[in-house]
Amino acid sequence: RKKKTAMLSLARFVGRRRCGIRFCSEVAKAQSASAEGPTIFDKIISKEIPAKIVYEDDKCLAFHDVAPKAPVHVLLIPKRRITQLQAAVPSDAELLGYLMVKTSEVAELLGIKDSGFRLVVNNGKDSAQSVYHLHIHILGGKQLGWTPG
């Protein structure tokens, strides 16, 4: 276990040094991520992997991000996998709208609805999408800076 932890730490350090930007470990993961096979989110949905779940219903699941970028950072995912936003088709419109409405409900559960929150959807490797299961980042709990790019 110690060796594995040390290797992960080293990989993160080397990755950050190599690309010279703060979140380059996500950037590096995105460059090699694949849309094939089950994702970590599929395993969270099936409860194979634990997560700090804040909301769940028959269509979606919201849980805390393991590497938060704000005091409140939750991911909202559809239970029916859509690999990325650009892969959505017209028949996905109802589910996509449902997810957008749920972001406000989840923000209320988290106590950030009234103060404000940001939604982020990464699409493809240049946006640093590292998991090919559509997910909406819900960020808040402080005054967020601009610009995110």
Side-chain angles (χ1 to χ4, degrees):
R1 181 169 165 89
K2 284 183 179 180
K3 185 176 181 180
K4 184 177 180 180
T5 303
M7 292 300 288
L8 287 171
S9 295
L10 178 62
R12 288 185 192 114
F13 175 75
V14 170
R16 285 188 181 136
R17 297 257 311 164
R18 187 175 16 162
C19 67
I21 59 176
R22 184 172 177 192
F23 301 116
C24 81
S25 62
E26 285 302 311
V27 171
K29 282 191 269 183
Q31 297 304 308
S32 62
S34 170
E36 302 301 316
T39 69
I40 190 169
F41 295 165
D42 294 315
K43 293 175 182 180
I44 289 171
I45 292 167
S46 67
K47 307 297 192 270
E48 293 174 56
I49 294 177
K52 191 174 173 189
I53 296 171
V54 296
Y55 177 82
E56 182 174 14
D57 65 22
D58 61 324
K59 294 181 182 179
C60 64
L61 179 72
F63 55 94
H64 286 274
D65 194 301
V66 296
K69 307 299 183 241
V72 176
H73 186 169
V74 168
L75 302 177
L76 178 66
I77 63 172
K79 288 188 172 178
R80 182 172 55 80
R81 185 174 174 201
I82 300 170
T83 57
Q84 61 192 119
L85 196 54
Q86 74 184 40
V89 294
S91 61
D92 294 321
E94 184 178 335
L95 177 58
L96 294 172
Y98 183 83
L99 292 171
M100 294 304 290
V101 170
K102 283 296 167 188
T103 61
S104 183
E105 291 180 29
V106 171
E108 185 168 23
L109 289 172
L110 297 167
I112 61 171
K113 182 178 178 182
D114 293 335
S115 61
F117 56 95
R118 178 173 295 157
L119 304 178
V120 176
V121 177
N122 298 321
N123 186 80
K125 66 180 184 174
D126 283 353
S127 74
Q129 182 179 5
S130 59
V131 179
Y132 279 83
H133 186 129
L134 180 70
H135 52 287
I136 302 170
H137 296 260
I138 305 170
L139 301 123
K142 72 172 188 174
Q143 175 63 61
L144 300 172
W146 193 257
T147 92

